[in-house]
Every structure is written in C-alpha cells, then in structure tokens.
Amino acid sequence: MSETTAPKSPVTAAQFADEIREQLTYHQGVTVAQATPADVYVAASLAVRRHLMDAWMTTQAEMVNGHTKAVGYLSAEFLMGKQLRNALLNAGLTEQFDEAVKELGFDYQDVIDAEHEPGLGNGGLGRLAACFIDSLASIGVPAFGYGIQYQYGIFEQEFDEQGRQIERPDYWLTNDEPWGHVDYNRSQKVSFGGTVVENADGTKAWKPAWSVRAVPVDYMVPGYKSGRVNTLRLWRAKSYDEFDLLTFNKSEYLDAVKPQVKAENISKILYPEDSTPEGKALRLEQQYFFVSASIHDAIRVFYPGQDKPDLTTFPDKITFQLNDTHPVIGIPELMRVMIDEYGYDWDTAWSVTTKTFNYTCHTLLPEALEVWPASLIGELLPRHLEIIERIERQFEAELVAKGVDAAQIERMKIYTGDAVRMAYLATYGGSHVNGVAELHSELLKDVTLKDFSDTYPDKFANVTNGVTPRRFVKLANPRLSDLITEGLGTDKWLTDLEMLKGLAPLANDDEFVKKFAAVKQANKVDFANYAKREYGFDLDPNTMFNTMVKRLHEYKRQSLKILALIARYADIKSGKVSADDVMPRTVIFGAKAAPGYYLAKMTIQLINNVARVVNNDPDVKGKLNVYFPWNYNVRLAQHLIPATDLDEQISQAGKEASGTGNMKFALNGALTVGTLDGANVEIRERVGAENFFLFGMTVDEVEAQYANGYNPARYYESDPRLKAAIDMVSDGTFSDGDRNTYAPLVADWLTKDWFMTLADFTAYAAIQGEIEALYAQPLEWHRKAILNVANSGYFSSDRSIEDYLERIWHTGSMA
Ligand code: OX2
C-alpha cells in the first residue's frame, strides 16, 4: 500500500487532548482532575480507536465486495503485547499523544504502564501470529485473525524464597479493556457431544448433547501507514443457560450454575504448554470451539444474508492458515458444514476443503505433534470422527492407487483406529504444508513427514519466520530507529526492511560506529534503570549484557548456559583466571516453564540460586553477575532486546524449528552465539560467518551420537571444567549445602542428557574466549553488530507474508 493512502496527520496535539477529555467525560464520567493514569489510558485508547474506525469499516467493506481473496489466520494463540503504543504508531498519532498527555498533566510512561499486557500466547508461536497480522494489515492484505479470548492468559511468574517458579493466574481483564469490541449480535452456536443418526434419505444428522454461544470480541489490527485496519476476532464462550431456575429454586445454587460454568470454562484459560500437548478434553473443546465459530463466521461474512450460498466459491473468498495442529479439526468441520448443513456431496466438499486449508508446522519434536484419542473425539465430536474415518478410507485407497506399499500406508495412517494424528490430517486435508525456517522445512520433508513428502512432494514449502520491525525496532528501540533513519536518509526501511543493507558501508565509518555504540550504551543505561525500578536489580551498564530469553525447555539448553557460567565462576574463585583478566559480564535470563515440567522448573531454581550465590560473592564482584527478571513477556522483551550485547541461541541442532528471538536481537544490534539450528542458519548466512559466534554439533553429528548410543558421562569425565561445574551443582554450593536439591537434574545430565548439553559444553566454553576478545575491541564489536542489523532485513514478517502470498495463499493486497 502506498503512503498516499496513509491517514494524513489527522489531528494536532491540542485536538487530541480534547478528544481524550471528551472520552473521559462522556465515556468514563470523570474530570481530568479526577482522572488516574489508568483513566487516561482508557480514554486515549478509545480516542485512537475512533481515528481508526473509518479505515476499519472501509477495509471490511472492501474485503467483502472486492475480488481479493482474504486470509483467515486460525491460531489458538495471539501474543499481542500492549496495544496503545502500537496503535498510536500505526495511526500516526504518537507525537500528538505524547504532547496531549503532557498537556493534561500526566506522565506518558504512567499512562502506557496502565495497560495490562494481554498474554494470550505461550511464546514464539503466539508472537509470530501477532507479527503476521500486523504485517498482513501493513501490506494491505484483507485478513482475519481468528482465535480465543482467554479470560486468563499465560500465568504470571513469580519466584519464591528458594528461587522456585510460582504460577499466578493472569486475570488480564480485571480493568476496563478498551480494545476488544464484544459483538453479541454476531455470535455463533457451537455444539458438542451427542450422537449421529441416519435420516430416512440415508444422510447423516448430528444430534449434539450441548451447545455454547461463541461471542466474537473484535480487535482492530491497524496496518502501519497502509490505511488498512484488519480484524482480530477472538471468541469468548458464553452459556445459553445462565442458570437452571428449577434447581436454583430448590436452593441448589452451585448445581444451578453448572451449565454456565461448563460452557464458560471453554475460553477460561490458555494452556500453559509450549511444544507439548496436554491430553485434555478441554483443549479439544477449545480447538473445536474457535474453529467452528470461525468457519461459520467466514460464511456469514462472505455470503451475507444468503441462505443457500454457493460454497464452491469459498476457496476464492478465503484461505485458512492452520497455525500448527491446534486448529486442524477445522478440516472435518468444513466437510461437515458443507455436507450436513448445506447438502453438498462428499467430493465437492472435499475439493473445497483441500483448497481452503494450509498447514504450518512449528516443531520437530514428535511429542509436540498432536495425537487425539479416537474415543475422545468420538465422545465430543461423533460426526467428525465418522468423517475422519471416511477421510482415512479415501486416503488409503488413494495411496494404494499411487502404488504406495502396505508398510508405508500403515505408517501414514491418519486414523489408526485408536487415535487421530492431526499433523497427518492437516497434511492430507490441505493444499500446502510449510516449515518455519529452511533447515526445519528440510527436516520436515526428510524426517518428520517423509512418507508424505515422498508421496505428495508438491505440497511442501518453506516460509522462514519473521518479526515486525514496527514493534521490535521502531517502538522498542527508538534511538536505533532514529540512527538508522539518519544513516539511510529515510524511514522507508520500516516497510521495506531490506533497505537496512544501506547501513553496511557505514560499518566502516568510525563516526557512525561510535554513534551506534552510544545508542547501545544509552539503551543499556535505560534497561539498568528499568530493572532497578521493576525488579530492584543493580545492573552495571558498563559490563557486557549477555541475554538468554525464551521458554524454558531442555532442548533450548538453558542448562548449557548455566553450566558454562558456573565453570567461569569456579575459574575466577579458584584463581585459575585472574580477576583482572575477566571481561565483566552481566548474564540475564528470562523464561517461563510449563507448570508441570519438572526438570525445567528445577533449572529455573538452579539459575536463581546461582544468581544469589554469584551476586553475593565479593571474589567476583564487578566481574560476573546473573539476573533473572521474572515474568518474561513482550513488554520485558521490548526493553531488554535493545540493551543486549550478546544473545544466546544455543539449542541442540535439529530441535528449534526457527526461533524469532534470534531475529529480534540481530535487528537490534546484538551479536549471537549459537548453534546451526533453526533460523540461526539463515541469520548466519546473511550476516556473515565472521559476524556470528558459531559452535557445537551439527544435525548430522547429533544423529550420529544418537545412533552410536550417546553417553554423557564420558564428557563429564573428560572435561575437568564441566566436571567441576556439575560437581558444584551436586555439592550444595547453590542449595545452602543441601546435596539433594538438584539431584534429579544432575542425574539426568549424567545418565540421559537427551539434548546433549554435555557433548556441546567444551565447544561452547571455548568460544567464550573469542567473544571476550572481540568485546575488548569495542569498535570492532560494534562494526559487526552494525553488519548484523544491515543484513537482517530479510527477517521482517512483511517478507514472510510476501512468501506466504506467493507460495501458499496466491493472493495479494487490496487494490
Ligand atoms: C515455536 C517453535 O518452538 C519456535 O522454534 C518457532 O520459532 C515458533 O514456534 C514460531 O514458528 N509451539 N511453539 C513453537 O512451536 C510449537 C509447536
């Protein structure tokens, strides 16, 4: 979308202040004198929404009336982050807001802080969905994000006295929430349970046992300077029976509200899992709930007022992207809707369905590919199970016709009789399957879905992930953004991120390098202040800021980082390394562990206790510090990433599908220490091998180790520094002398170590010397950091969306 369609600077600061006053008076009923920052936050948000409203309505009208196929991004998670600043940026109102708030007598930071971040996602998958809908709107592609408005998002993390993770519910809707519009008049009915009966004419009819009302809550998704505002439609579950009056009148109050509780539980809470499924009925209920409502909603939107819509045109109206396996039940649902509700025959329904859906896989961990017990589907969605059975029969016949051998057909079963493999259903039932980085897509083809790629090679594609430069550079790092704009002479890079390449020659310009270094230093000072204010930490901005932020998972190997850190600590303590030779480092962790993930939680406890011991040890004072700010979220990411010198992407090769944090750090001028995994491979290729700290085994080496019977104890015995570090974990150094605290973790390292932390330790420890030598030459370090920024433009989510448009969706922006 060209800039001519961008909203012109719509108001002056004084006018915007008036608009805020008006909202305070007529929406909230408070005067400016009575207003709190939270009131001003709500009023300002409503004022911004008003500015976006016309573009929102035009976008919707043109989407329905135009000829451009829309995208429906079906995702169980959208990790949006705070809305106000982003909406202001995209509406072109940032400066007016800053001034208006000041004029009203408020500090803009207090107003921004009043917003409670909606945590409707676990990590990378949910944040990717949020970046993608930003890019879709910014490019001007008509699109809906479809998901669930969980009442409780990802838990709030705290640490107890022992450094253990405590999970608290995140009731993010406690205060006025100005962004979501609850549209009761466009709700959908979603049904569950019951039986399937045969009609007299031989057709099937599902007689469900119970239903819930899916109420859409609509969020605006404003594009950056595109004049387009798309919709994120998050469904909230409501009961049709508020309570049973008969039961209530018998004074059985709790029983009377049971149906309501059961219905509303569906959108109550986001599963705090990342990469592993929870085999819970409620999760399947959630999945079906939002997917069924969304499919019906799309039919309502694109065939307005039509009782007998021509659904053979459905794939020309919308393409549904399945964000991982969570929405895959949509495939049998669209079949059911077409056959049972609209009377189409099987073949027509199948042709429409396969053209409508595409599937993105985000993992390689076999345990993360959802498999549902057939009994559960049968109980909750009996008609869908029948449809899946028939899909299986058709699939097998097709494979036989293709000459696939019996053993392979057996391996490829979607429906095994006992279980339904959702990734297989998605692969067969949609047009394309994509991985999220080149290496990942290759491994999907060659390993995880090999039988399918052998049989249907044309279905497979790659789309490497990306991140939105608006939120993660412009908003998060205003100083760097200004410097980039100065260096390039334009701010057009915000919608054409490859333009960052123009910075490469400036890496040789000492003046520019010094300015770049000054930006990083100022960001570090800011973060130190933030960490003091929010967490009470005392970070020294004159040390290297070395960050590892991501979900806590064994494959991501926070263990590797903490063991190397302990080894370093031991070296300084023992005098093996003289304190004068130590490059001062501040190590910062951020990570949530799934509440039921025992070893991950123990790793959190260990990190916290290493931090406690190291930070209180006068022998290493000023040389090594460790901090673990709790409750890592988008807000913390936006503060921490711009302040980071060195980023850790140290997963076991072949396990991280892509990573997106790695892209955010590179774009913000951090150097990366990492393995050849996920998108690290592409980042390194682009920024240059000499500007990336590579270490560790390759995928092939990892596979060879598994094949030869990996023995971690061998590494423990052969590297004395590793041995010393592990011994310190066992001997009570980090548990007030108690030798049992970390025993399960140590036992796992020494006997199992499935993700080969020990095997990569020596290489990881060795590369630290190289890192520190470079850091000792600030100009050289920052030159390399500039080259990281300059060559990371490819990792814009705008580029990812362009790739989806071209390779998978075959649609484009609105004319
Ligand atoms: C994550 C992947 O672990 C990560 O590598 C990737 O960058 C991100 O998705 C976005 O593609 N749950 N979360 C993921 O995969 C699953 C499953």
Side-chain angles (χ1 to χ4, degrees):
M1 188 63 36
S2 73
E3 292 200 14
T4 48
T5 53
K8 295 183 269 326
S9 175
V11 282
T12 64
Q15 284 167 329
F16 197 59
D18 284 342
E19 291 177 10
I20 296 176
R21 275 193 201 94
E22 190 185 305
Q23 293 294 345
L24 284 170
T25 311
Y26 295 107
H27 179 76
Q28 285 137 288
V30 292
T31 63
V32 174
Q34 292 166 328
T36 63
D39 289 321
V40 177
Y41 155 68
V42 172
S45 304
L46 293 172
V48 187
R49 274 187 105 252
R50 278 191 65 160
H51 278 273
L52 294 167
M53 192 55 84
D54 286 338
W56 194 24
M57 292 181 68
T58 320
T59 305
Q60 290 179 50
E62 291 182 12
M63 173 168 79
V64 177
N65 303 328
H67 301 286
T68 311
K69 178 165 68 175
V71 174
Y73 200 80
L74 294 172
S75 178
E77 303 185 12
F78 286 92
L79 188 50
M80 299 295 290
K82 292 192 184 207
Q83 296 299 291
L84 178 56
R85 269 239 165 270
N86 193 60
L88 287 164
L89 173 68
N90 289 7
L93 286 166
T94 305
E95 279 135 35
Q96 291 91 322
F97 167 82
D98 291 355
E99 269 185 55
V101 166
K102 208 190 295 162
E103 188 195 311
L104 294 169
F106 289 85
D107 180 58
Y108 89 84
Q109 196 57 49
D110 293 342
V111 176
I112 298 291
D113 286 349
E115 178 170 0
H116 191 116
E117 170 172 334
L120 308 187
N122 277 295
L125 175 144
R127 185 52 237 177
L128 186 78
C131 285
F132 279 3
I133 58 174
D134 175 272
S135 285
L136 281 161
S138 297
I139 298 172
V141 180
F144 275 109
Y146 278 120
I148 300 176
Q149 198 214 34
Y150 302 101
Q151 213 175 329
Y152 295 88
I154 177 81
F155 62 85
E156 274 192 29
Q157 180 192 51
E158 291 175 16
F159 298 140
D160 71 6
E161 290 282 296
Q162 277 82 47
R164 291 176 300 208
Q165 170 176 291
I166 307 290
E167 301 96 27
R168 302 236 178 262
D170 164 46
Y171 189 41
W172 68 287
L173 294 168
T174 35
N175 298 323
D176 213 352
E177 203 274 301
W179 300 102
H181 170 64
V182 188
D183 191 351
Y184 288 100
N185 297 325
R186 285 166 193 72
S187 58
Q188 296 288 348
K189 184 173 179 173
V190 180
S191 303
F192 298 91
T195 52
V196 179
V197 296
E198 201 162 317
N199 297 322
D201 62 358
T203 58
K204 297 288 182 80
W206 178 22
K207 302 280 177 221
W210 54 284
S211 303
V212 299
R213 183 175 174 202
V215 179
V217 188
D218 286 346
Y219 291 80
M220 290 178 171
V221 184
Y224 176 72
K225 289 191 175 173
S226 69
R228 297 294 183 189
V229 180
N230 282 334
T231 305
L232 170 62
R233 185 157 287 164
L234 300 181
W235 299 97
R236 180 190 285 180
K238 293 289 282 179
S239 171
Y240 282 107
D241 326 291
E242 282 302 305
F243 58 83
D244 180 346
L245 200 58
L246 224 73
T247 315
F248 188 81
N249 288 343
K250 285 191 281 172
S251 300
E252 290 161 0
Y253 303 122
L254 280 177
D255 282 347
V257 293
K258 262 194 184 153
Q260 183 192 8
V261 171
K262 180 174 164 141
E264 295 181 3
N265 264 348
I266 291 182
S267 59
K268 181 78 80 192
I269 181 161
L270 166 79
Y271 273 89
E273 291 290 328
D274 194 55
S275 303
T276 49
E278 261 282 6
K280 291 258 175 67
L282 182 55
R283 189 152 163 143
L284 183 59
E285 285 174 19
Q286 291 187 329
Q287 298 181 350
Y288 180 64
F289 165 75
F290 91 89
V291 167
S292 173
S294 304
I295 289 174
H296 285 94
D297 186 66
I299 295 173
R300 177 189 66 75
V301 167
F302 288 103
Y303 304 92
Q306 298 178 34
D307 286 345
K308 291 218 166 307
D310 175 9
L311 291 182
T312 60
T313 63
F314 196 55
D316 308 325
K317 307 277 185 193
I318 192 163
T319 173
F320 280 126
Q321 192 64 29
L322 301 165
N323 197 26
D324 217 73
T325 46
H326 317 138
V328 171
I329 195 72
I331 290 174
E333 172 65 355
L334 183 56
M335 292 296 290
R336 185 193 69 80
V337 170
M338 289 194 65
I339 295 169
D340 296 359
E341 295 183 9
Y342 290 96
Y344 287 93
D345 60 53
W346 176 274
D347 290 344
T348 307
W350 183 250
S351 155
V352 167
T353 299
T354 50
K355 281 189 212 137
T356 303
F357 288 99
N358 295 290
Y359 160 54
T360 305
C361 177
H362 294 265
T363 188
L364 288 162
L365 305 178
E367 68 270 25
L369 298 172
E370 285 178 307
V371 176
W372 289 110
S375 55
L376 179 62
I377 300 186
E379 207 174 296
L380 213 55
L381 303 166
R383 178 66 177 129
H384 297 76
L385 188 62
E386 282 191 3
I387 291 172
I388 293 168
E389 273 177 50
R390 179 145 176 211
I391 292 175
E392 174 66 27
R393 287 202 299 278
Q394 170 185 296
F395 180 44
E396 287 185 24
E398 193 175 306
L399 293 177
V400 170
K402 280 177 177 285
V404 177
D405 68 57
Q408 186 176 336
I409 294 179
E410 187 61 30
R411 287 198 303 271
M412 291 173 80
K413 273 183 186 279
I414 294 167
Y415 177 46
T416 63
D418 295 328
V420 180
R421 295 162 166 158
M422 302 311 267
Y424 293 4
L425 178 56
T427 306
Y428 179 53
S431 292
H432 296 91
V433 186
N434 74 285
V436 289
E438 274 168 22
L439 175 67
H440 174 234
S441 295
E442 284 307 307
L443 292 169
L444 268 186
K445 276 198 291 190
D446 297 346
V447 185
T448 316
L449 295 173
K450 181 171 188 321
D451 288 330
F452 284 82
S453 73
D454 286 348
T455 319
Y456 301 99
D458 297 342
K459 284 196 183 211
F460 284 76
N462 171 59
V463 179
T464 299
N465 283 343
V467 301
T468 169
R470 271 78 64 182
R471 182 177 287 270
F472 288 105
V473 186
K474 174 77 181 169
L475 287 182
N477 201 341
R479 288 191 189 92
L480 181 62
S481 298
D482 288 348
L483 184 64
I484 293 172
T485 299
E486 182 190 317
L488 297 177
T490 169
D491 68 356
K492 291 214 163 65
W493 56 275
L494 278 163
T495 47
D496 179 5
L497 205 59
E498 287 284 11
M499 286 179 73
L500 294 179
K501 281 213 159 62
L503 296 174
L506 296 172
N508 298 318
D509 172 346
D510 284 0
E511 281 316 299
F512 188 83
V513 180
K514 282 180 195 151
K515 284 185 189 168
F516 183 90
V519 163
K520 182 64 75 181
Q521 187 58 27
N523 289 344
K524 289 169 73 173
V525 171
D526 273 3
F527 184 74
N529 292 333
Y530 175 84
K532 179 75 185 170
R533 197 169 71 234
E534 299 280 322
Y535 298 93
F537 295 160
D538 285 302
L539 270 70
D540 178 356
N542 296 315
T543 60
M544 174 203 280
F545 280 10
N546 176 193
T547 304
M548 182 165 189
V549 283
K550 47 187 76 260
R551 281 299 285 249
L552 212 137
H553 202 294
E554 289 163 277
Y555 83 78
K556 295 179 187 276
R557 301 200 298 191
Q558 280 91 354
S559 288
L560 180 54
K561 177 83 197 140
I562 198 71
L563 282 173
L565 197 152
I566 296 169
R568 184 69 170 162
Y569 172 61
D571 285 348
I572 306 172
K573 286 253 352 143
S574 66
K576 210 194 274 160
V577 176
S578 133
D580 298 336
D581 294 339
V582 175
M583 168 68 57
R585 235 198 248 222
T586 298
V587 178
I588 304 157
F589 286 92
K592 289 180 182 178
Y597 191 168
Y598 183 65
L599 286 182
K601 291 180 90 168
M602 191 168 280
T603 308
I604 287 183
Q605 187 182 357
L606 174 62
I607 296 171
N608 274 320
N609 283 287
V610 171
R612 176 177 56 83
V613 170
V614 170
N615 295 349
N616 289 305
D617 187 336
D619 292 349
V620 297
K621 199 172 166 45
K623 299 296 171 191
L624 188 58
N625 280 100
V626 189
Y627 294 98
F628 196 159
W630 49 92
N631 202 41
Y632 181 61
N633 58 9
V634 180
R635 175 181 182 225
L636 177 53
Q638 288 181 214
H639 282 92
L640 178 52
I641 292 170
T644 293
D645 295 302
L646 178 68
D647 168 40
E648 305 273 336
Q649 300 295 339
I650 59 179
S651 52
Q652 186 198 29
K655 294 296 184 296
E656 188 69 89
S658 165
T660 44
N662 45 6
M663 301 168 184
K664 294 167 197 164
F665 281 101
L667 279 166
N668 279 283
L671 297 189
T672 304
V673 54
T675 48
L676 271 185
D677 199 16
N680 294 353
V681 177
E682 289 157 79
I683 293 176
R684 177 170 171 270
E685 249 164 45
R686 289 192 151 72
V687 305
E690 66 287 6
N691 302 315
F692 187 106
F693 298 107
L694 179 73
F695 77 98
M697 291 185 287
T698 60
V699 172
D700 289 345
E701 287 163 350
V702 165
E703 288 311 317
Q705 287 264 19
Y706 283 133
N708 298 336
Y710 174 62
N711 172 18
R714 184 159 73 85
Y715 295 93
Y716 169 80
E717 297 300 343
S718 64
D719 185 333
R721 293 183 73 241
L722 173 61
K723 184 170 189 306
I726 292 182
D727 288 349
M728 278 173 94
V729 177
S730 321
D731 72 12
T733 304
F734 307 111
S735 41
D736 295 320
D738 184 85
R739 302 177 66 97
N740 294 321
T741 307
Y742 305 111
L745 195 55
V746 173
D748 189 274
W749 286 335
L750 294 181
T751 60
K752 192 168 158 227
D753 189 26
W754 182 249
F755 298 102
M756 301 181 185
T757 295
L758 274 56
D760 268 342
F761 177 89
T762 309
Y764 179 62
I767 202 161
Q768 304 304 321
E770 222 178 280
I771 291 169
E772 300 198 349
L774 184 70
Y775 196 74
Q777 302 168 268
L779 272 183
E780 293 315 307
W781 179 279
H782 291 293
R783 262 191 245 293
K784 287 178 186 283
I786 292 171
L787 290 172
N788 268 261
V789 178
N791 293 303
S792 293
Y794 177 79
F795 300 104
S796 167
S797 44
D798 298 347
R799 189 271 315 146
S800 305
I801 291 300
E802 299 283 2
D803 287 351
Y804 276 100
L805 292 172
E806 193 188 305
R807 298 174 194 172
I808 294 177
W809 298 332
H810 310 298
T811 183
S813 36
M814 281 185 267

Tab-separated table of all heavy atoms in Angstrom, residues 533-557:
chain	number	residue	atom	x	y	z
A	533	ARG	N	13.933	-0.263	38.782
A	533	ARG	CA	12.570	0.154	39.130
A	533	ARG	C	11.629	-1.041	39.270
A	533	ARG	O	10.872	-1.157	40.219
A	533	ARG	CB	12.078	1.071	38.009
A	533	ARG	CG	10.879	1.924	38.333
A	533	ARG	CD	10.636	2.985	37.259
A	533	ARG	NE	10.138	2.434	36.002
A	533	ARG	CZ	10.708	2.638	34.821
A	533	ARG	NH1	11.800	3.369	34.731
A	533	ARG	NH2	10.196	2.123	33.727
A	534	GLU	N	11.708	-1.953	38.311
A	534	GLU	CA	10.734	-3.043	38.262
A	534	GLU	C	11.117	-4.237	39.130
A	534	GLU	O	10.254	-4.962	39.583
A	534	GLU	CB	10.582	-3.537	36.810
A	534	GLU	CG	10.076	-2.496	35.844
A	534	GLU	CD	8.559	-2.299	35.919
A	534	GLU	OE1	7.847	-3.306	36.104
A	534	GLU	OE2	8.108	-1.144	35.806
A	535	TYR	N	12.402	-4.461	39.285
A	535	TYR	CA	12.848	-5.692	39.951
A	535	TYR	C	13.780	-5.440	41.131
A	535	TYR	O	14.146	-6.382	41.841
A	535	TYR	CB	13.580	-6.594	38.950
A	535	TYR	CG	12.719	-7.050	37.792
A	535	TYR	CD1	12.686	-6.356	36.594
A	535	TYR	CD2	11.914	-8.193	37.908
A	535	TYR	CE1	11.886	-6.770	35.533
A	535	TYR	CE2	11.119	-8.615	36.855
A	535	TYR	CZ	11.104	-7.901	35.673
A	535	TYR	OH	10.313	-8.317	34.628
A	536	GLY	N	14.230	-4.206	41.273
A	536	GLY	CA	15.185	-3.926	42.350
A	536	GLY	C	16.597	-4.417	42.053
A	536	GLY	O	17.433	-4.522	42.957
A	537	PHE	N	16.901	-4.711	40.804
A	537	PHE	CA	18.242	-5.202	40.442
A	537	PHE	C	19.203	-4.029	40.240
A	537	PHE	O	18.793	-2.959	39.809
A	537	PHE	CB	18.206	-5.976	39.118
A	537	PHE	CG	17.406	-7.249	39.147
A	537	PHE	CD1	16.953	-7.809	37.950
A	537	PHE	CD2	17.119	-7.915	40.337
A	537	PHE	CE1	16.217	-8.990	37.942
A	537	PHE	CE2	16.395	-9.090	40.337
A	537	PHE	CZ	15.937	-9.633	39.138
A	538	ASP	N	20.497	-4.317	40.489
A	538	ASP	CA	21.523	-3.303	40.221
A	538	ASP	C	22.418	-3.756	39.082
A	538	ASP	O	23.453	-4.370	39.304
A	538	ASP	CB	22.383	-3.076	41.477
A	538	ASP	CG	21.619	-2.268	42.500
A	538	ASP	OD1	21.203	-1.145	42.155
A	538	ASP	OD2	21.404	-2.765	43.622
A	539	LEU	N	22.038	-3.453	37.884
A	539	LEU	CA	22.853	-3.866	36.736
A	539	LEU	C	23.875	-2.787	36.421
A	539	LEU	O	23.545	-1.593	36.455
A	539	LEU	CB	21.962	-4.048	35.494
A	539	LEU	CG	21.350	-5.413	35.253
A	539	LEU	CD1	20.273	-5.693	36.288
A	539	LEU	CD2	20.743	-5.482	33.857
A	540	ASP	N	25.069	-3.221	36.087
A	540	ASP	CA	26.106	-2.262	35.714
A	540	ASP	C	26.164	-2.149	34.186
A	540	ASP	O	26.616	-3.082	33.505
A	540	ASP	CB	27.454	-2.735	36.276
A	540	ASP	CG	28.571	-1.788	35.880
A	540	ASP	OD1	28.312	-0.826	35.118
A	540	ASP	OD2	29.711	-2.023	36.325
A	541	PRO	N	25.729	-1.029	33.641
A	541	PRO	CA	25.690	-0.900	32.174
A	541	PRO	C	27.073	-0.858	31.525
A	541	PRO	O	27.176	-0.868	30.303
A	541	PRO	CB	24.929	0.407	31.939
A	541	PRO	CG	24.975	1.146	33.226
A	541	PRO	CD	25.201	0.167	34.328
A	542	ASN	N	28.127	-0.821	32.355
A	542	ASN	CA	29.473	-0.864	31.765
A	542	ASN	C	30.010	-2.274	31.645
A	542	ASN	O	31.196	-2.472	31.407
A	542	ASN	CB	30.421	0.018	32.571
A	542	ASN	CG	29.967	1.462	32.478
A	542	ASN	OD1	29.633	1.941	31.389
A	542	ASN	ND2	29.893	2.123	33.616
A	543	THR	N	29.138	-3.266	31.832
A	543	THR	CA	29.544	-4.653	31.587
A	543	THR	C	28.842	-5.132	30.325
A	543	THR	O	27.895	-4.494	29.859
A	543	THR	CB	29.079	-5.555	32.747
A	543	THR	OG1	27.639	-5.477	32.829
A	543	THR	CG2	29.667	-5.107	34.070
A	544	MET	N	29.315	-6.250	29.786
A	544	MET	CA	28.622	-6.825	28.634
A	544	MET	C	27.267	-7.377	29.087
A	544	MET	O	27.189	-8.103	30.074
A	544	MET	CB	29.449	-7.981	28.053
A	544	MET	CG	28.716	-8.720	26.936
A	544	MET	SD	29.328	-10.388	26.711
A	544	MET	CE	30.772	-10.071	25.763
A	545	PHE	N	26.201	-7.024	28.378
A	545	PHE	CA	24.868	-7.588	28.677
A	545	PHE	C	24.660	-8.815	27.787
A	545	PHE	O	24.570	-8.704	26.569
A	545	PHE	CB	23.757	-6.554	28.428
A	545	PHE	CG	23.581	-5.545	29.534
A	545	PHE	CD1	24.491	-5.436	30.588
A	545	PHE	CD2	22.474	-4.690	29.534
A	545	PHE	CE1	24.311	-4.499	31.605
A	545	PHE	CE2	22.285	-3.749	30.546
A	545	PHE	CZ	23.210	-3.649	31.583
A	546	ASN	N	24.591	-9.940	28.430
A	546	ASN	CA	24.517	-11.233	27.744
A	546	ASN	C	23.177	-11.894	28.112
A	546	ASN	O	22.951	-12.209	29.270
A	546	ASN	CB	25.706	-12.079	28.222
A	546	ASN	CG	25.747	-13.488	27.684
A	546	ASN	OD1	26.510	-14.314	28.183
A	546	ASN	ND2	24.954	-13.793	26.691
A	547	THR	N	22.330	-12.054	27.121
A	547	THR	CA	20.926	-12.386	27.395
A	547	THR	C	20.528	-13.748	26.838
A	547	THR	O	20.913	-14.102	25.721
A	547	THR	CB	20.032	-11.298	26.748
A	547	THR	OG1	20.429	-10.031	27.264
A	547	THR	CG2	18.575	-11.519	27.035
A	548	MET	N	19.712	-14.457	27.622
A	548	MET	CA	19.076	-15.664	27.092
A	548	MET	C	17.614	-15.632	27.505
A	548	MET	O	17.283	-15.852	28.670
A	548	MET	CB	19.757	-16.926	27.630
A	548	MET	CG	19.132	-18.188	27.048
A	548	MET	SD	20.159	-19.644	27.305
A	548	MET	CE	19.305	-20.846	26.287
A	549	VAL	N	16.754	-15.320	26.568
A	549	VAL	CA	15.321	-15.244	26.873
A	549	VAL	C	14.539	-16.123	25.904
A	549	VAL	O	14.697	-16.011	24.693
A	549	VAL	CB	14.792	-13.790	26.800
A	549	VAL	CG1	15.191	-13.006	28.035
A	549	VAL	CG2	15.243	-13.064	25.558
A	550	LYS	N	13.713	-16.990	26.457
A	550	LYS	CA	12.886	-17.912	25.681
A	550	LYS	C	12.214	-18.845	26.682
A	550	LYS	O	12.566	-18.827	27.867
A	550	LYS	CB	13.720	-18.727	24.689
A	550	LYS	CG	14.992	-19.332	25.298
A	550	LYS	CD	15.862	-19.988	24.267
A	550	LYS	CE	16.658	-19.038	23.402
A	550	LYS	NZ	16.117	-18.775	22.084
A	551	ARG	N	11.241	-19.649	26.222
A	551	ARG	CA	10.660	-20.623	27.141
A	551	ARG	C	11.751	-21.525	27.716
A	551	ARG	O	12.765	-21.786	27.057
A	551	ARG	CB	9.618	-21.485	26.401
A	551	ARG	CG	8.302	-20.789	26.219
A	551	ARG	CD	7.655	-20.428	27.538
A	551	ARG	NE	7.092	-21.595	28.177
A	551	ARG	CZ	5.790	-21.816	28.338
A	551	ARG	NH1	4.900	-20.940	27.918
A	551	ARG	NH2	5.350	-22.904	28.930
A	552	LEU	N	11.519	-21.999	28.933
A	552	LEU	CA	12.485	-22.921	29.487
A	552	LEU	C	12.166	-24.330	29.007
A	552	LEU	O	11.090	-24.866	29.275
A	552	LEU	CB	12.550	-22.880	31.012
A	552	LEU	CG	14.002	-23.185	31.403
A	552	LEU	CD1	14.499	-22.301	32.486
A	552	LEU	CD2	14.274	-24.627	31.626
A	553	HIS	N	13.080	-24.888	28.252
A	553	HIS	CA	12.879	-26.234	27.714
A	553	HIS	C	14.240	-26.898	27.619
A	553	HIS	O	15.229	-26.236	27.301
A	553	HIS	CB	12.219	-26.150	26.331
A	553	HIS	CG	11.508	-27.407	25.945
A	553	HIS	ND1	12.168	-28.588	25.713
A	553	HIS	CD2	10.196	-27.673	25.785
A	553	HIS	CE1	11.285	-29.530	25.408
A	553	HIS	NE2	10.083	-29.009	25.447
A	554	GLU	N	14.273	-28.197	27.865
A	554	GLU	CA	15.574	-28.879	27.808
A	554	GLU	C	16.257	-28.718	26.450
A	554	GLU	O	17.468	-28.561	26.377
A	554	GLU	CB	15.415	-30.364	28.133
A	554	GLU	CG	15.109	-30.624	29.593
A	554	GLU	CD	14.549	-32.023	29.782
A	554	GLU	OE1	13.328	-32.194	29.577
A	554	GLU	OE2	15.332	-32.943	30.105
A	555	TYR	N	15.466	-28.753	25.373
A	555	TYR	CA	16.118	-28.688	24.053
A	555	TYR	C	16.743	-27.313	23.781
A	555	TYR	O	17.676	-27.188	23.005
A	555	TYR	CB	15.156	-29.093	22.928
A	555	TYR	CG	14.225	-28.011	22.409
A	555	TYR	CD1	14.682	-27.033	21.530
A	555	TYR	CD2	12.877	-27.991	22.758
A	555	TYR	CE1	13.835	-26.048	21.053
A	555	TYR	CE2	12.020	-27.015	22.285
A	555	TYR	CZ	12.503	-26.040	21.434
A	555	TYR	OH	11.662	-25.066	20.959
A	556	LYS	N	16.211	-26.279	24.446
A	556	LYS	CA	16.766	-24.938	24.240
A	556	LYS	C	18.075	-24.744	25.011
A	556	LYS	O	18.844	-23.850	24.739
A	556	LYS	CB	15.746	-23.878	24.651
A	556	LYS	CG	14.493	-23.878	23.766
A	556	LYS	CD	13.488	-22.843	24.212
A	556	LYS	CE	12.174	-22.910	23.478
A	556	LYS	NZ	12.156	-22.190	22.182
A	557	ARG	N	18.276	-25.577	26.007
A	557	ARG	CA	19.545	-25.733	26.723
A	557	ARG	C	19.975	-24.514	27.551
A	557	ARG	O	21.138	-24.093	27.493
A	557	ARG	CB	20.645	-26.181	25.752
A	557	ARG	CG	20.283	-27.489	25.077
A	557	ARG	CD	21.455	-28.200	24.516
A	557	ARG	NE	22.152	-27.463	23.476
A	557	ARG	CZ	23.087	-27.964	22.701
A	557	ARG	NH1	23.433	-29.248	22.847
A	557	ARG	NH2	23.685	-27.238	21.798
